[in-house]
Amino acid sequence: ETGVTQSPTHLIKTRGQQVTLRCSSQSGHNTVSWYQQALGQGPQFIFQYYREEENGRGNFPPRFSGLQFPNYSSELNVNALELDDSALYLCASSLGQGETQYFGPGTRLLVL
Amino acid sequence: ELKVEQNPLFLSMQEGKNYTIYCNYSTTSDRLYWYRQDPGKSLESLFVLLSNGAVKQEGRLMASLDTKARLSTLHITAAVHDLSATYFCAVALASGTYKYIFGTGTRLKVLA
């Protein structure tokens, strides 16, 4: 059974650019959540997708958007990057809403 | 606004000793999660606690939940060096949509 995978592992962008991060869910999981984790902090919930629909969102501006595909893989898009967007971005998949979440290895984004 | 607070933030303990990490949250929730994160790594799910009085144990770790007091504890028995990591609790808010709030984390160092 394949676990949660994310790509890329590392990324460097400049302020104002746009970025797309990708996540492949664990087999059979229909729910995916995205988190931002700044250095030394706890993860901050960005949003959750359940069966291709966004069904929960944290305190992040609209320039953070996402998609979930029919195979339950997912993308996180961030427009107009800011320096404070530099962080580890984690996705997590689960069998359903509220169920145990299995985290991917993360994408480390640096905005210069 | 929901707040999740952990204490202590840092914990240095000797091998073989027992200790408890506390997680307090400020509003009603019926799901409480504990995660472990090693330096530079992603999160690993430890426990999901679903009801008042729930207790789960895995090896030297035992988690409990008191929903009336809005308190969860993670008890470490006879600590070993391999338990050194950062431990996060997280709470789910479910009101049609889902939102997850993580605590500040407790950085545990077990000294040989």
Side-chain angles (χ1 to χ4, degrees):
Chain A
E1 184 178 284
T2 307
V4 179
T5 59
Q6 292 185 242
S7 63
T9 55
H10 296 82
L11 202 51
I12 300 175
K13 291 285 189 179
T14 56
R15 195 170 47 184
Q17 285 189 311
Q18 177 265 341
V19 68
T20 298
L21 310 182
R22 294 178 174 81
C23 173
S24 180
S25 300
Q26 191 162 317
S27 178
H29 288 190
N30 59 20
T31 304
V32 65
S33 300
W34 285 91
Y35 296 86
Q36 180 194 68
Q37 187 177 26
L39 201 60
Q41 308 277 327
Q44 300 289 313
F45 174 68
I46 302 175
F47 43 58
Q48 180 178 86
Y49 277 81
Y50 171 65
R51 295 186 175 179
E52 303 178 57
E53 300 268 342
E54 182 183 301
N55 82 324
R57 189 177 183 93
N59 297 328
F60 280 83
R63 61 188 185 86
F64 285 79
S65 63
L67 280 174
Q68 188 181 30
F69 299 100
N71 66 354
Y72 301 134
S73 65
S74 177
E75 285 183 355
L76 165 65
N77 299 290
V78 187
N79 293 322
L81 283 166
E82 300 177 359
L83 298 179
D84 285 349
D85 295 334
S86 296
L88 178 67
Y89 288 84
L90 296 163
C91 82
S93 73
S94 59
L95 283 170
Q97 301 168 86
E99 300 297 324
T100 300
Q101 295 189 58
Y102 296 87
F103 282 79
T107 294
R108 199 164 294 277
L109 172 65
L110 177 62
V111 182
L112 301 175
Chain B
E1 183 183 335
L2 173 63
K3 290 186 179 179
V4 180
E5 295 180 337
Q6 290 180 234
N7 70 83
L9 297 182
F10 298 96
L11 177 55
S12 180
M13 57 192 296
Q14 297 286 330
E15 276 194 330
K17 298 292 187 183
N18 304 332
Y19 209 85
T20 300
I21 298 170
Y22 297 88
C23 173
N24 290 272
Y25 54 98
S26 61
T27 194
T28 302
S29 173
D30 60 358
R31 289 174 189 257
L32 191 292
Y33 309 82
W34 283 97
Y35 296 92
R36 168 184 172 143
Q37 187 174 38
D38 292 299
K41 303 290 186 182
S42 188
L43 277 76
E44 174 191 354
S45 176
L46 296 174
F47 303 107
V48 180
L49 303 169
L50 300 178
S51 60
N52 187 43
V55 177
K56 289 197 174 179
Q57 183 165 4
E58 180 73 33
R60 301 174 187 275
L61 301 177
M62 183 173 72
S64 66
L65 179 62
D66 181 344
T67 57
K68 292 178 183 177
R70 298 177 185 168
L71 170 69
S72 180
T73 60
L74 181 66
H75 186 73
I76 302 157
T77 302
V80 293
H81 180 72
D82 285 352
L83 289 179
S84 298
T86 299
Y87 293 85
F88 292 98
C89 65
V91 167
L93 290 180
S95 55
T97 62
Y98 268 80
K99 188 172 179 177
Y100 300 89
I101 310 295
F102 276 70
T104 45
T106 296
R107 189 178 299 176
L108 171 66
K109 187 172 183 179
V110 181
L111 305 172

mmCIF file of all heavy atoms in Angstrom, chain A residues 35 37 42-43 45 48 55-56 59 90 97-98 100-101 103-104, chain B residues 31 33 35 37 40 42-43 45 48 88 97-100 102-103:
data_model
loop_
_atom_site.group_PDB
_atom_site.id
_atom_site.type_symbol
_atom_site.label_atom_id
_atom_site.label_comp_id
_atom_site.label_asym_id
_atom_site.label_seq_id
_atom_site.Cartn_x
_atom_site.Cartn_y
_atom_site.Cartn_z
ATOM 1 N N TYR A 35 -1.972 21.739 5.131
ATOM 2 C CA TYR A 35 -1.509 22.498 6.273
ATOM 3 C C TYR A 35 -0.254 23.277 5.904
ATOM 4 O O TYR A 35 0.546 22.827 5.070
ATOM 5 C CB TYR A 35 -1.162 21.574 7.447
ATOM 6 C CG TYR A 35 -2.328 20.806 8.004
ATOM 7 C CD1 TYR A 35 -2.713 19.578 7.454
ATOM 8 C CD2 TYR A 35 -3.044 21.294 9.093
ATOM 9 C CE1 TYR A 35 -3.792 18.881 7.961
ATOM 10 C CE2 TYR A 35 -4.121 20.588 9.613
ATOM 11 C CZ TYR A 35 -4.491 19.389 9.040
ATOM 12 O OH TYR A 35 -5.552 18.684 9.551
ATOM 13 N N GLN A 37 3.113 24.783 7.835
ATOM 14 C CA GLN A 37 3.849 24.733 9.090
ATOM 15 C C GLN A 37 5.093 25.606 8.977
ATOM 16 O O GLN A 37 6.045 25.256 8.281
ATOM 17 C CB GLN A 37 4.242 23.301 9.472
ATOM 18 C CG GLN A 37 4.861 23.217 10.852
ATOM 19 C CD GLN A 37 5.187 21.798 11.292
ATOM 20 O OE1 GLN A 37 5.402 20.912 10.472
ATOM 21 N NE2 GLN A 37 5.229 21.568 12.598
ATOM 22 N N GLY A 42 3.312 24.964 15.130
ATOM 23 C CA GLY A 42 2.432 23.846 14.825
ATOM 24 C C GLY A 42 1.801 24.035 13.451
ATOM 25 O O GLY A 42 1.778 25.142 12.910
ATOM 26 N N PRO A 43 1.313 22.968 12.856
ATOM 27 C CA PRO A 43 0.648 23.088 11.549
ATOM 28 C C PRO A 43 -0.590 23.976 11.643
ATOM 29 O O PRO A 43 -1.330 23.929 12.623
ATOM 30 C CB PRO A 43 0.262 21.646 11.218
ATOM 31 C CG PRO A 43 1.168 20.792 12.043
ATOM 32 C CD PRO A 43 1.389 21.567 13.305
ATOM 33 N N PHE A 45 -4.110 24.774 9.670
ATOM 34 C CA PHE A 45 -5.052 24.176 8.713
ATOM 35 C C PHE A 45 -5.395 25.174 7.622
ATOM 36 O O PHE A 45 -5.848 26.288 7.907
ATOM 37 C CB PHE A 45 -6.300 23.740 9.481
ATOM 38 C CG PHE A 45 -7.422 23.225 8.627
ATOM 39 C CD1 PHE A 45 -7.302 22.027 7.946
ATOM 40 C CD2 PHE A 45 -8.609 23.928 8.535
ATOM 41 C CE1 PHE A 45 -8.350 21.533 7.185
ATOM 42 C CE2 PHE A 45 -9.665 23.442 7.783
ATOM 43 C CZ PHE A 45 -9.535 22.240 7.104
ATOM 44 N N GLN A 48 -9.745 21.608 3.656
ATOM 45 C CA GLN A 48 -9.970 20.179 3.478
ATOM 46 C C GLN A 48 -10.878 19.958 2.269
ATOM 47 O O GLN A 48 -11.826 20.725 2.052
ATOM 48 C CB GLN A 48 -10.627 19.566 4.718
ATOM 49 C CG GLN A 48 -10.899 18.077 4.590
ATOM 50 C CD GLN A 48 -11.513 17.478 5.858
ATOM 51 O OE1 GLN A 48 -12.716 17.499 6.056
ATOM 52 N NE2 GLN A 48 -10.671 16.928 6.707
ATOM 53 N N ASN A 55 -14.647 21.435 1.929
ATOM 54 C CA ASN A 55 -15.652 21.378 2.988
ATOM 55 C C ASN A 55 -15.085 21.804 4.330
ATOM 56 O O ASN A 55 -15.528 21.346 5.379
ATOM 57 C CB ASN A 55 -16.286 19.987 3.087
ATOM 58 C CG ASN A 55 -15.443 19.024 3.888
ATOM 59 O OD1 ASN A 55 -14.236 19.071 3.829
ATOM 60 N ND2 ASN A 55 -16.080 18.161 4.655
ATOM 61 N N GLY A 56 -14.113 22.679 4.297
ATOM 62 C CA GLY A 56 -13.584 23.242 5.529
ATOM 63 C C GLY A 56 -12.403 24.117 5.167
ATOM 64 O O GLY A 56 -11.605 23.745 4.295
ATOM 65 N N ASN A 59 -8.017 30.018 8.402
ATOM 66 C CA ASN A 59 -7.913 31.466 8.220
ATOM 67 C C ASN A 59 -6.836 31.833 7.208
ATOM 68 O O ASN A 59 -5.841 32.477 7.540
ATOM 69 C CB ASN A 59 -7.628 32.130 9.568
ATOM 70 C CG ASN A 59 -8.752 31.911 10.555
ATOM 71 O OD1 ASN A 59 -9.916 31.811 10.178
ATOM 72 N ND2 ASN A 59 -8.404 31.801 11.819
ATOM 73 N N LEU A 90 2.173 20.631 4.200
ATOM 74 C CA LEU A 90 1.866 19.225 4.430
ATOM 75 C C LEU A 90 0.474 18.902 3.920
ATOM 76 O O LEU A 90 -0.453 19.687 4.112
ATOM 77 C CB LEU A 90 1.913 18.912 5.929
ATOM 78 C CG LEU A 90 3.273 19.077 6.605
ATOM 79 C CD1 LEU A 90 3.096 19.159 8.124
ATOM 80 C CD2 LEU A 90 4.192 17.930 6.251
ATOM 81 N N GLN A 97 -13.996 12.311 6.667
ATOM 82 C CA GLN A 97 -13.850 13.538 7.433
ATOM 83 C C GLN A 97 -13.732 13.204 8.920
ATOM 84 O O GLN A 97 -14.507 12.413 9.438
ATOM 85 C CB GLN A 97 -15.056 14.437 7.201
ATOM 86 C CG GLN A 97 -15.239 14.808 5.747
ATOM 87 C CD GLN A 97 -16.596 15.448 5.511
ATOM 88 O OE1 GLN A 97 -16.744 16.649 5.678
ATOM 89 N NE2 GLN A 97 -17.568 14.659 5.146
ATOM 90 N N GLY A 98 -12.732 13.798 9.560
ATOM 91 C CA GLY A 98 -12.559 13.565 10.982
ATOM 92 C C GLY A 98 -11.807 12.297 11.330
ATOM 93 O O GLY A 98 -11.473 12.083 12.495
ATOM 94 N N THR A 100 -8.598 9.445 11.170
ATOM 95 C CA THR A 100 -7.139 9.558 11.316
ATOM 96 C C THR A 100 -6.520 10.075 10.027
ATOM 97 O O THR A 100 -6.822 9.574 8.943
ATOM 98 C CB THR A 100 -6.537 8.186 11.656
ATOM 99 O OG1 THR A 100 -7.099 7.738 12.885
ATOM 100 C CG2 THR A 100 -5.025 8.278 11.784
ATOM 101 N N GLN A 101 -5.663 11.066 10.165
ATOM 102 C CA GLN A 101 -5.006 11.648 9.004
ATOM 103 C C GLN A 101 -3.589 11.093 8.870
ATOM 104 O O GLN A 101 -2.854 11.002 9.843
ATOM 105 C CB GLN A 101 -4.944 13.167 9.135
ATOM 106 C CG GLN A 101 -6.331 13.808 9.115
ATOM 107 C CD GLN A 101 -6.263 15.319 9.035
ATOM 108 O OE1 GLN A 101 -5.683 15.884 8.114
ATOM 109 N NE2 GLN A 101 -6.842 15.973 10.003
ATOM 110 N N PHE A 103 -0.082 11.764 7.033
ATOM 111 C CA PHE A 103 0.605 12.901 6.443
ATOM 112 C C PHE A 103 1.648 12.472 5.429
ATOM 113 O O PHE A 103 2.324 11.455 5.583
ATOM 114 C CB PHE A 103 1.277 13.731 7.539
ATOM 115 C CG PHE A 103 0.330 14.620 8.288
ATOM 116 C CD1 PHE A 103 -0.484 14.107 9.277
ATOM 117 C CD2 PHE A 103 0.249 15.972 7.973
ATOM 118 C CE1 PHE A 103 -1.374 14.931 9.962
ATOM 119 C CE2 PHE A 103 -0.635 16.800 8.652
ATOM 120 C CZ PHE A 103 -1.443 16.272 9.648
ATOM 121 N N GLY A 104 1.785 13.299 4.397
ATOM 122 C CA GLY A 104 2.877 13.137 3.454
ATOM 123 C C GLY A 104 4.138 13.760 3.999
ATOM 124 O O GLY A 104 4.133 14.384 5.068
ATOM 125 N N ARG B 31 -13.446 15.284 18.864
ATOM 126 C CA ARG B 31 -12.320 14.520 18.331
ATOM 127 C C ARG B 31 -11.022 15.215 18.707
ATOM 128 O O ARG B 31 -10.839 16.394 18.419
ATOM 129 C CB ARG B 31 -12.410 14.406 16.815
ATOM 130 C CG ARG B 31 -13.519 13.498 16.364
ATOM 131 C CD ARG B 31 -13.709 13.490 14.877
ATOM 132 N NE ARG B 31 -14.929 12.763 14.549
ATOM 133 C CZ ARG B 31 -14.958 11.520 14.082
ATOM 134 N NH1 ARG B 31 -13.825 10.888 13.858
ATOM 135 N NH2 ARG B 31 -16.093 10.919 13.829
ATOM 136 N N TYR B 33 -6.767 14.606 18.614
ATOM 137 C CA TYR B 33 -5.718 13.831 17.960
ATOM 138 C C TYR B 33 -4.369 14.125 18.621
ATOM 139 O O TYR B 33 -4.114 15.262 19.048
ATOM 140 C CB TYR B 33 -5.608 14.208 16.479
ATOM 141 C CG TYR B 33 -6.902 14.194 15.701
ATOM 142 C CD1 TYR B 33 -7.762 15.282 15.748
ATOM 143 C CD2 TYR B 33 -7.264 13.102 14.919
ATOM 144 C CE1 TYR B 33 -8.958 15.287 15.036
ATOM 145 C CE2 TYR B 33 -8.451 13.102 14.203
ATOM 146 C CZ TYR B 33 -9.294 14.196 14.267
ATOM 147 O OH TYR B 33 -10.470 14.198 13.562
ATOM 148 N N TYR B 35 -0.199 13.706 17.674
ATOM 149 C CA TYR B 35 0.755 13.427 16.614
ATOM 150 C C TYR B 35 2.169 13.558 17.165
ATOM 151 O O TYR B 35 2.419 14.288 18.133
ATOM 152 C CB TYR B 35 0.611 14.424 15.462
ATOM 153 C CG TYR B 35 -0.695 14.365 14.735
ATOM 154 C CD1 TYR B 35 -1.766 15.162 15.117
ATOM 155 C CD2 TYR B 35 -0.872 13.501 13.658
ATOM 156 C CE1 TYR B 35 -2.973 15.117 14.444
ATOM 157 C CE2 TYR B 35 -2.070 13.444 12.976
ATOM 158 C CZ TYR B 35 -3.119 14.262 13.374
ATOM 159 O OH TYR B 35 -4.306 14.204 12.705
ATOM 160 N N GLN B 37 6.177 14.425 15.774
ATOM 161 C CA GLN B 37 6.971 14.925 14.664
ATOM 162 C C GLN B 37 8.447 14.901 15.049
ATOM 163 O O GLN B 37 8.855 15.524 16.028
ATOM 164 C CB GLN B 37 6.558 16.343 14.271
ATOM 165 C CG GLN B 37 7.258 16.847 13.008
ATOM 166 C CD GLN B 37 6.728 18.191 12.539
ATOM 167 O OE1 GLN B 37 6.415 19.059 13.349
ATOM 168 N NE2 GLN B 37 6.639 18.373 11.218
ATOM 169 N N GLY B 40 12.695 17.848 11.215
ATOM 170 C CA GLY B 40 12.815 17.818 9.766
ATOM 171 C C GLY B 40 11.903 16.816 9.074
ATOM 172 O O GLY B 40 12.026 16.613 7.861
ATOM 173 N N SER B 42 7.839 14.736 8.738
ATOM 174 C CA SER B 42 6.411 14.994 8.732
ATOM 175 C C SER B 42 5.778 14.508 10.039
ATOM 176 O O SER B 42 6.475 14.118 10.971
ATOM 177 C CB SER B 42 5.768 14.302 7.533
ATOM 178 O OG SER B 42 4.433 14.678 7.409
ATOM 179 N N LEU B 43 4.459 14.537 10.096
ATOM 180 C CA LEU B 43 3.742 14.142 11.302
ATOM 181 C C LEU B 43 3.301 12.691 11.220
ATOM 182 O O LEU B 43 2.878 12.205 10.161
ATOM 183 C CB LEU B 43 2.506 15.019 11.513
ATOM 184 C CG LEU B 43 2.728 16.346 12.196
ATOM 185 C CD1 LEU B 43 3.358 17.348 11.245
ATOM 186 C CD2 LEU B 43 1.418 16.887 12.746
ATOM 187 N N SER B 45 0.630 10.028 13.026
ATOM 188 C CA SER B 45 -0.535 9.938 13.898
ATOM 189 C C SER B 45 -0.273 8.938 15.016
ATOM 190 O O SER B 45 0.197 7.823 14.774
ATOM 191 C CB SER B 45 -1.756 9.502 13.087
ATOM 192 O OG SER B 45 -2.876 9.330 13.922
ATOM 193 N N VAL B 48 -6.308 8.824 18.089
ATOM 194 C CA VAL B 48 -7.530 9.605 17.882
ATOM 195 C C VAL B 48 -8.458 9.267 19.037
ATOM 196 O O VAL B 48 -8.753 8.087 19.268
ATOM 197 C CB VAL B 48 -8.228 9.260 16.551
ATOM 198 C CG1 VAL B 48 -9.496 10.096 16.394
ATOM 199 C CG2 VAL B 48 -7.294 9.482 15.384
ATOM 200 N N PHE B 88 2.278 16.987 19.184
ATOM 201 C CA PHE B 88 1.192 17.935 18.966
ATOM 202 C C PHE B 88 -0.139 17.279 19.295
ATOM 203 O O PHE B 88 -0.377 16.125 18.935
ATOM 204 C CB PHE B 88 1.128 18.380 17.502
ATOM 205 C CG PHE B 88 2.277 19.221 17.048
ATOM 206 C CD1 PHE B 88 3.334 18.653 16.361
ATOM 207 C CD2 PHE B 88 2.298 20.583 17.301
ATOM 208 C CE1 PHE B 88 4.401 19.423 15.927
ATOM 209 C CE2 PHE B 88 3.360 21.374 16.873
ATOM 210 C CZ PHE B 88 4.404 20.781 16.190
ATOM 211 N N THR B 97 -18.897 21.675 8.109
ATOM 212 C CA THR B 97 -17.558 21.611 7.515
ATOM 213 C C THR B 97 -16.559 21.305 8.619
ATOM 214 O O THR B 97 -16.882 21.408 9.805
ATOM 215 C CB THR B 97 -17.186 22.937 6.835
ATOM 216 O OG1 THR B 97 -17.178 23.965 7.831
ATOM 217 C CG2 THR B 97 -18.165 23.286 5.740
ATOM 218 N N TYR B 98 -15.369 20.935 8.220
ATOM 219 C CA TYR B 98 -14.352 20.575 9.199
ATOM 220 C C TYR B 98 -13.264 21.630 9.270
ATOM 221 O O TYR B 98 -12.927 22.263 8.269
ATOM 222 C CB TYR B 98 -13.728 19.220 8.838
ATOM 223 C CG TYR B 98 -14.412 18.060 9.497
ATOM 224 C CD1 TYR B 98 -15.601 17.557 8.975
ATOM 225 C CD2 TYR B 98 -13.889 17.467 10.640
ATOM 226 C CE1 TYR B 98 -16.237 16.495 9.583
ATOM 227 C CE2 TYR B 98 -14.527 16.404 11.254
ATOM 228 C CZ TYR B 98 -15.701 15.926 10.723
ATOM 229 O OH TYR B 98 -16.332 14.873 11.332
ATOM 230 N N LYS B 99 -12.723 21.760 10.484
ATOM 231 C CA LYS B 99 -11.597 22.646 10.702
ATOM 232 C C LYS B 99 -10.751 21.998 11.783
ATOM 233 O O LYS B 99 -11.294 21.464 12.752
ATOM 234 C CB LYS B 99 -12.081 24.019 11.158
ATOM 235 C CG LYS B 99 -11.027 25.089 11.229
ATOM 236 C CD LYS B 99 -11.691 26.443 11.512
ATOM 237 C CE LYS B 99 -10.663 27.547 11.615
ATOM 238 N NZ LYS B 99 -11.290 28.873 11.812
ATOM 239 N N TYR B 100 -9.445 22.014 11.595
ATOM 240 C CA TYR B 100 -8.544 21.387 12.555
ATOM 241 C C TYR B 100 -7.631 22.443 13.146
ATOM 242 O O TYR B 100 -7.036 23.235 12.419
ATOM 243 C CB TYR B 100 -7.697 20.305 11.877
ATOM 244 C CG TYR B 100 -8.515 19.188 11.270
ATOM 245 C CD1 TYR B 100 -8.978 19.278 9.962
ATOM 246 C CD2 TYR B 100 -8.835 18.052 12.005
ATOM 247 C CE1 TYR B 100 -9.735 18.269 9.410
ATOM 248 C CE2 TYR B 100 -9.590 17.033 11.451
ATOM 249 C CZ TYR B 100 -10.038 17.149 10.145
ATOM 250 O OH TYR B 100 -10.790 16.144 9.605
ATOM 251 N N PHE B 102 -4.345 22.922 15.684
ATOM 252 C CA PHE B 102 -3.241 22.255 16.359
ATOM 253 C C PHE B 102 -2.771 23.076 17.556
ATOM 254 O O PHE B 102 -2.843 24.312 17.565
ATOM 255 C CB PHE B 102 -2.069 22.063 15.399
ATOM 256 C CG PHE B 102 -2.179 20.838 14.546
ATOM 257 C CD1 PHE B 102 -3.130 20.766 13.536
ATOM 258 C CD2 PHE B 102 -1.352 19.747 14.754
ATOM 259 C CE1 PHE B 102 -3.254 19.628 12.747
ATOM 260 C CE2 PHE B 102 -1.454 18.608 13.971
ATOM 261 C CZ PHE B 102 -2.400 18.544 12.975
ATOM 262 N N GLY B 103 -2.279 22.364 18.534
ATOM 263 C CA GLY B 103 -1.633 23.007 19.659
ATOM 264 C C GLY B 103 -0.246 23.493 19.282
ATOM 265 O O GLY B 103 0.233 23.284 18.170
#
